[in-house]
Amino acid sequence: MLERLERSFLQASRFSADAAHELKTPLAILQGELEQTLQQAEPGSQIQQSLIIC
């Protein structure tokens, strides 16, 4: 029974690590695109004000 619990725990841990890895790439791309848009926006523009995180 302990072996089954350990296997289940390892499987859940692996799933969590895989899910986290799969989410990092799209989030990193989105962050890069937002930063580029922010840098290209005119200072004080509505776009810049909308993207600045307080």
Side-chain angles (χ1 to χ4, degrees):
M1 184 168 136
L2 184 58
E3 185 178 314
R4 280 181 47 203
L5 286 173
E6 287 177 356
R7 256 185 302 161
S8 294
F9 177 77
L10 289 174
Q11 186 178 18
S13 295
R14 210 172 308 122
F15 175 80
S16 295
D18 290 346
H21 176 74
E22 291 296 322
L23 288 173
K24 283 181 184 177
T25 300
L27 290 175
I29 291 169
L30 180 58
Q31 180 180 10
E33 290 179 1
L34 287 171
E35 288 174 355
Q36 182 179 13
T37 301
L38 182 59
Q39 289 175 351
Q40 292 173 351
E42 293 290 326
S45 68
Q46 182 65 36
I47 291 173
Q48 191 182 48
Q49 291 175 10
S50 297
L51 294 177
I52 292 176
I53 299 173
C54 298

